[in-house]
Amino acid sequence: MVDAVVVGAGPAGSAAALALARAGRSVILLERGPFPGSKNLYGGVVYARVLDGVIPRWWEEVPVQRWVVRRSTMVLTETQSLSVDMRTSSWGDAPYNGMTVYRADFDQWLAGHAVAAGANLVTSTVATGLIWDGSGRVVGVKTDRPDGNIRAQVVIACDGVNSFLAKEAGLLPQADAAHHTLGVKEVLSLPAETIDERFGLGPDEGLDIEMVGVTRGIPGGGFLYTNRDTVSLGVVVSLKGLADAKVRPEELIADLKAHPTIAPWLRGATLKEYGAHLIPEGGYDTMPPLTADGLMVAGDAAGMTLAAGIWLEGVNFAIGAGLAAGKAATDAIAAGDTTTAGLAGYRRALESNFVLKDHQRLRRAPGLVLSQRMQGPYPKLMCDVAERMFTVTNPEPKPGLVLLLRRAAKEQGVRWRDLVRDGIETIRVFR
Amino acid sequence: MTARWQSVSFDERMSTVEFRVGERAHIVVDSDVCESCTTRACVTACPANLFAPTSSGGILFNYEECFECGTCYMVCNEEGAITWTYPDGGQGVVFRHG
Ligand SMILES: Cc1cc2nc3c(=O)[nH]c(=O)nc-3n(C[C@H](O)[C@H](O)[C@H](O)COP(=O)(O)OP(=O)(O)OC[C@H]3O[C@@H](n4cnc5c(N)ncnc54)[C@H](O)[C@@H]3O)c2cc1C
Ligand code: SF4
Ligand code: SF4
């Protein structure tokens, strides 16, 4: 019997195991892949300030690709693109704002800290189910190893987006296409200097672009992140929308690569890796209960990715939740009460930090961002207005912005009333 | 393995990914249930293109190059058509640049 078993050595699991091990608790960290990160795929940027108090000067040892100094939000149509581009040199200095990393590197690095603190990492092992006692309490996990039962006072499920442990405990529905998106990504290799030149970056500097309007009307968006000598390019699309549209995911990436704004950036690149992964996108309103008797759920297993259009952040939320889960489990074990009531400190901790505060504040963002108008007519409308503002029509005098907006709205079949209402709603949701 | 960036074939694309193929099929599709399916959502949505319709109205499925993403069971149109689990420990997809 160990104090705790943590399932999944992603960011949530490693953070939870680290917190428990540092508190002197015996903890087994299970990972089904041959090494942490081998099963994991994301867009590309980690916001690691959450580690400040945990791994001092983490930026001096983290396996970084590039430090993000430039962030763009881009609206595209087939032939146009409109960007809001933010660059600040302050993001290029310690403690840094965001960095591109490969998950195979980052997840191994973080798991390494858990191991150094005393956690017992066991890879190539699947947790195949929960062990229950007679009174409906979780008392461990089964694994696919011979004699693979592990008994523990607390099980922390950090098993990612498909969390079969949370499903077995009845915390998550068996399948929920409406609240998940599929991310597909290509990693394209280019010489580091070519990336520096084409994206206007210094040697360690990175760029992160989020895009809308590139998914053939399927609710979702695109992304481009620069690594040292590769570029990660992909789309994130609603599962229902994808299934209904009968479009294959790689075709959406092909569209993106052929776009007049993007194609010149990638000229001559070679494909290094293709892959896919799901994202829980329901936000606050679809999160499961975070605890049951003897069980806690953290990270994507609890739907904690913040996917709100201009944000796509999950690693930082997973780490924040994992740390809180590890601490709450430590306290509960010390107090001799690992029932739901004994574990309640976990939710309280998340409510008082960014994890649940951000999610609660942005609870309506997923619905707004994936809404029909945001995905359908608006990208075209915005690009048309911008294009006309900058098209010089002499000897005609310049038209005013409101007139251009009204004209473009009419052409896209958007009612003025809806446009104003959505504008106000956007301000409300993101305020 | 590397491939050119545009116009890569699907096979070339898949050959960029490492798969440690296990003996056991970790996903099983019941082709009989698929016969009454009206959407065939799996066929277009699976990012690894592992579902192929047969002329008799069933589905041919190959688990070997699976990303273990979960898309198929989430979009599947018929209850009981897909039995979905992870490959045994250490097997299946291994991402290096995820
Ligand atoms: C396309 C895409 C783009 C994204 N972009 C970003 C981004 O740019 N920035 C960002 O911060 N976030 C991003 N995210 C979200 C981010 O990837 C997740 O929020 C984050 O990985 C969640 O961490 P986690 O530890 O909860 O789960 P995961 O990282 O999914 O880790 C779960 C771990 O559990 C293991 N596991 C699962 N089941 C079992 C089992 N039964 N037994 C043993 N082990 C098991 C898995 O192998 C895995 O290692 C993106 C996600 C996707 C899909
Ligand atoms: S969606 Fe489900 S039932 Fe329909 S063909 Fe695919 S696997 Fe079979
Ligand atoms: S899990 Fe993903 S890659 Fe594997 S068969 Fe299902 S949809 Fe395809």
Side-chain angles (χ1 to χ4, degrees):
Chain A
M1 171 109 149
V2 286
D3 289 329
V5 54
V6 177
V7 180
S14 290
L18 176 63
L20 278 150
R22 282 216 182 142
R25 291 292 164 188
S26 58
V27 48
I28 294 180
L29 176 59
L30 284 184
E31 169 55 48
R32 68 186 188 87
F35 55 87
S38 54
K39 300 289 182 187
N40 301 345
L41 176 146
Y42 79 145
V45 181
V46 172
Y47 303 94
R49 293 296 303 277
V50 60
L51 289 174
D52 283 357
V54 186
I55 302 169
R57 306 183 78 76
W58 50 266
W59 53 87
E60 289 175 355
E61 48 169 290
V62 73
V64 56
Q65 291 285 322
R66 287 172 182 261
W67 302 106
V68 174
V69 297
R70 206 182 140 195
R71 257 188 101 151
S72 293
T73 300
M74 200 182 239
V75 178
L76 298 111
T77 70
E78 265 172 51
T79 56
Q80 301 156 297
S81 67
L82 171 66
S83 297
V84 177
D85 193 68
M86 172 69 202
R87 183 181 187 119
T88 169
S89 30
S90 74
W91 288 346
D93 296 323
Y96 303 101
N97 182 53
M99 59 186 162
T100 52
V101 297
Y102 295 134
R103 295 294 298 276
D105 301 337
F106 181 81
D107 291 15
Q108 281 193 92
W109 171 77
L110 193 58
H113 273 276
V115 170
N120 183 3
L121 171 67
V122 181
T123 56
S124 297
T125 304
V126 186
T128 51
L130 297 166
I131 304 174
W132 303 82
D133 74 2
S135 61
R137 202 190 122 79
V138 174
V139 291
V141 293
K142 299 176 218 158
T143 76
D144 66 346
R145 290 193 176 239
D147 317 317
N149 284 4
I150 303 172
R151 295 197 154 248
Q153 302 198 49
V154 188
V155 173
I156 309 186
C158 301
D159 49 343
V161 62
N162 286 299
S163 182
F164 288 104
L165 299 185
K167 285 177 184 180
E168 184 184 333
L171 302 178
L172 284 177
Q174 290 303 316
D176 182 10
H179 297 118
H180 286 85
T181 51
L182 171 68
V184 283
K185 160 170 132 171
E186 284 187 6
V187 178
L188 297 150
S189 96
L190 279 172
E193 311 77 63
T194 308
I195 292 177
D196 296 349
E197 273 164 33
R198 289 188 188 170
F199 296 97
L201 300 168
D204 294 325
E205 294 177 343
L207 161 69
D208 148 346
I209 309 178
E210 317 291 340
M211 311 165 196
V212 289
V214 286
T215 48
R216 300 195 196 174
I218 303 170
F223 60 82
L224 183 155
Y225 302 114
T226 56
N227 304 307
R228 204 177 61 77
D229 55 6
T230 63
V231 172
S232 298
L233 181 84
V235 295
V236 171
V237 283
S238 129
L239 277 182
K240 248 199 109 325
L242 179 69
D244 292 347
K246 301 219 168 290
V247 174
R248 290 212 35 86
E250 74 278 2
E251 290 174 34
L252 297 173
I253 300 190
D255 284 3
L256 203 52
K257 287 197 289 192
H259 190 279
T261 299
I262 293 165
W265 287 336
L266 302 177
R267 200 179 300 123
T270 50
L271 179 61
K272 232 171 156 169
E273 192 172 81
Y274 167 70
H277 201 84
L278 291 187
I279 307 176
E281 275 219 11
Y284 191 79
D285 292 332
T286 63
M287 277 182 201
L290 303 180
T291 49
D293 287 342
L295 179 70
M296 314 173 84
V297 192
D300 274 14
M304 287 175 182
T305 301
L306 180 72
I310 49 178
W311 289 290
L312 178 49
E313 299 175 23
V315 173
N316 47 339
F317 284 86
I319 295 173
L323 289 171
K327 284 188 188 128
T330 305
D331 295 345
I333 293 166
D337 179 6
T338 53
T339 62
T340 308
L343 297 170
Y346 173 40
R347 189 173 181 104
R348 280 197 303 272
L350 296 183
E351 274 167 356
S352 65
N353 74 14
F354 72 103
V355 176
L356 286 183
K357 278 216 169 97
D358 283 357
H359 268 290
Q360 194 166 19
R361 198 158 62 81
L362 291 163
R363 67 199 295 171
R364 272 149 64 213
L368 177 75
V369 171
L370 297 177
S371 76
Q372 207 264 325
R373 279 196 294 277
M374 287 292 170
Q375 292 287 332
Y378 283 171
K380 181 85 180 115
L381 191 151
M382 287 160 79
C383 285
D384 281 356
V385 169
E387 181 172 336
R388 278 170 215 179
M389 261 180 70
F390 297 123
T391 304
V392 178
T393 54
N394 306 345
E396 297 264 313
K398 296 195 189 323
L401 179 60
V402 174
L403 181 72
L404 286 180
L405 252 178
R406 277 188 186 275
R407 233 187 248 161
K410 195 161 173 222
E411 279 168 20
Q412 296 309 317
V414 175
R415 286 182 306 187
W416 184 247
R417 200 163 7 112
D418 290 336
L419 187 63
V420 173
R421 199 192 303 128
D422 288 338
I424 295 169
E425 172 72 1
T426 304
I427 293 168
R428 254 198 220 132
V429 166
F430 290 101
R431 81 172 170 227
Chain B
M1 261 300 283
T2 50
R4 264 173 38 76
W5 65 291
Q6 266 180 336
S7 67
V8 281
S9 71
F10 199 81
D11 288 348
E12 275 180 281
R13 186 184 296 276
M14 294 306 291
S15 72
T16 63
V17 198
E18 180 183 341
F19 295 98
R20 301 184 183 171
V21 181
E23 294 279 299
R24 180 180 68 89
H26 63 283
I27 299 175
V28 178
V29 176
D30 185 342
S31 195
D32 294 344
V33 179
C34 297
E35 276 173 27
S36 50
C37 174
T38 51
T39 66
R40 302 278 151 132
C42 60
V43 175
T44 48
C46 168
N49 204 6
L50 296 175
F51 293 77
T54 63
S55 53
S56 64
I59 284 283
L60 264 182
F61 175 74
N62 171 12
Y63 71 95
E64 288 180 6
E65 298 196 322
C66 169
F67 293 129
E68 302 152 34
C69 66
T71 300
C72 50
Y73 82 83
M74 290 260 189
V75 300
C76 178
N77 183 40
E78 295 282 338
E79 192 141 341
I82 298 180
T83 312
W84 204 93
T85 53
Y86 287 125
D88 297 337
Q91 291 170 338
V93 70
V94 178
F95 291 122
R96 303 278 170 179
H97 299 93

